[in-house]
Amino acid sequence: IVLLLLIISPAICVMAGEKVLERSARRAPVWLYGMENGYLIASAEERTIEAAREEVMLQVKERVLTSIAEHVRTEARHDIHETNHNGELESLSRFSKQIRTNAAAIPYLNGISESKVKDYYWEKVQLDKTTIVYRYHIRYPLPDIEIRLLAKAFKEDQARITNELLELRQTDFAQMESVEQMTAAFVKARSLQTELGEEDPRYESCRAALSNMQQQLVNLHWVLVSSDKQEAVLMLFLGEKAISCNQRLTLRSNCLSKLNFVSEGEQQRITYDSNGCYDDEENYIAITLMVGSRKVSEKIYVEL
């Protein structure tokens, strides 16, 4: 049936009134409608040749993911100790959707590129009086050994994500020495969330780890060491442990002006102009610190 359809397709196109305006070769290559071991044949139709070429490479990457999925299934059938293949197949399904938005985010597919295309053929076709499209076809080499290598790279990447998630769940801010280390932990967690996607069963574990880190920020607070009319010296604590902070702070006050923050290791110095303040009033500095994407705000009352 497939062969019959392939034979009659050109006749159907002619009957429909299509007209080939340009083509990359005088004749269509023999591989165009065939199947060949070790190769992928992919085709795309778009309004521009650039869009058709881009679409056909996306199709190749999707087909590669399908090949990897089949390899993972085969491994699972032959390995009675394999317990994670369902999760891996779910990840592959998600990656198939992700290709359309951000193919570069899938590291083991970076080697799939247009430079490896073995053969190509395109046609510029007029469908009717107002519609012209480009049909782009490629013959892409994909031997079994490459599928096995890609499947291996995929499984290694999944193992990396699982290990990083385990480390993330064990994150304890009490062991950290600086706000920068905390921020790095949040950035790592957000990155893992993006890699996992909501469909992944590990996504909830990542979200729980993020929630745990955010709860730990409740113990973050400033302590005023000293203050006068020109400056205030403070220290940042997580619980009872002093930590350093080299990040930019957002500062505002009810009366102080020209606020400036200087980090000096575990001590932080804020200089200011106090001419607009009165000694018998409550004069404060409102400090906002960003840890990851979380704001930590506190008012420090200074004595002038």
Side-chain angles (χ1 to χ4, degrees):
I1 293 174
V2 172
L3 289 174
L4 180 60
L5 288 173
L6 292 175
I7 291 170
I8 67 174
S9 290
I12 294 174
C13 292
V14 171
M15 291 174 60
E18 293 184 357
K19 181 180 180 181
V20 177
L21 302 178
E22 296 178 37
R23 61 182 71 193
S24 60
R26 290 185 62 185
R27 295 181 180 179
V30 294
W31 52 263
L32 188 59
Y33 300 112
M35 294 181 65
E36 186 177 356
N37 188 36
Y39 287 89
L40 290 178
I41 309 300
S43 303
E45 179 179 294
E46 297 289 343
R47 290 301 183 95
T48 67
I49 193 169
E50 291 80 10
R53 189 163 56 231
E54 181 178 345
E55 172 64 22
V56 83
M57 287 308 301
L58 289 174
Q59 290 186 20
V60 167
K61 291 185 177 182
E62 289 174 339
R63 297 268 294 278
V64 168
L65 285 181
T66 301
S67 299
I68 294 174
E70 185 56 39
H71 187 84
V72 170
R73 288 191 186 95
T74 302
E75 281 190 340
R77 286 196 295 266
H78 289 85
D79 185 358
I80 60 174
H81 301 295
E82 180 67 51
T83 58
N84 196 40
H85 67 279
N86 286 332
E88 290 172 340
L89 292 174
E90 288 173 6
S91 293
L92 282 168
S93 175
R94 182 178 61 80
F95 286 138
S96 183
K97 300 173 185 176
Q98 187 178 359
I99 280 177
R100 295 286 166 179
T101 56
N102 189 12
I106 309 176
Y108 45 86
L109 291 185
N110 289 343
I112 307 298
S113 69
E114 195 172 347
S115 63
K116 292 184 179 179
V117 172
K118 185 68 174 178
D119 295 296
Y120 70 92
Y121 174 74
W122 59 264
E123 293 177 338
K124 181 180 180 181
V125 182
Q126 184 164 2
L127 301 181
D128 53 43
K129 290 183 179 181
T130 59
T131 308
I132 294 176
V133 297
Y134 287 85
R135 291 178 182 149
Y136 204 94
H137 314 268
I138 65 171
R139 178 171 172 253
Y140 194 91
L142 189 66
D144 290 341
I145 182 63
E146 185 167 353
I147 294 175
R148 289 197 292 272
L149 290 173
L150 286 169
K152 181 175 181 290
F154 163 73
K155 292 172 74 67
E156 289 174 349
D157 191 55
Q158 291 300 296
R160 171 191 62 81
I161 292 174
T162 298
N163 290 335
E164 288 181 358
L165 180 57
L166 179 61
E167 292 177 4
L168 184 65
R169 292 174 62 182
Q170 297 173 345
T171 299
D172 183 3
F173 284 172
Q175 304 300 318
M176 296 185 177
E177 304 293 331
S178 69
V179 171
E180 288 70 36
Q181 288 179 323
M182 297 178 187
T183 297
F186 272 106
V187 170
K188 189 66 176 178
R190 296 295 185 195
S191 176
L192 274 180
Q193 262 195 328
T194 301
E195 287 192 78
L196 291 170
E198 294 186 14
E199 302 88 351
D200 195 298
R202 295 167 293 182
Y203 183 85
E204 285 303 319
S205 293
C206 188
R207 185 156 61 180
L210 267 168
S211 177
N212 177 55
M213 288 192 294
Q214 288 173 349
Q215 290 173 13
Q216 293 183 58
L217 294 181
V218 173
N219 299 319
L220 201 62
H221 63 281
W222 294 94
V223 172
L224 180 65
V225 177
S226 64
S227 64
D228 56 31
K229 291 185 178 296
Q230 285 80 41
E231 65 178 21
V233 178
L234 303 94
M235 294 181 70
L236 182 61
F237 283 81
L238 182 68
E240 298 181 356
K241 179 181 179 180
I243 61 173
S244 65
C245 176
N246 293 305
Q247 293 187 190
R248 186 186 185 93
L249 303 180
T250 299
L251 305 172
R252 62 182 179 83
S253 173
N254 61 324
C255 62
L256 300 169
S257 61
K258 299 179 182 179
L259 295 157
N260 185 50
F261 170 76
V262 180
S263 176
E264 298 177 346
E266 289 187 353
Q267 286 194 345
Q268 324 301 324
R269 190 178 303 275
I270 299 176
T271 60
Y272 44 72
D273 184 337
S274 61
N275 288 329
C277 299
Y278 297 96
D279 294 346
D280 57 348
E281 291 185 356
E282 288 188 331
N283 305 306
Y284 67 82
I285 303 173
I287 305 173
T288 300
L289 169 66
M290 292 294 295
V291 184
S293 59
R294 186 68 177 262
K295 287 184 179 180
V296 180
S297 300
E298 187 176 357
K299 281 184 179 180
I300 299 296
Y301 291 89
V302 297
E303 296 182 4
L304 305 177

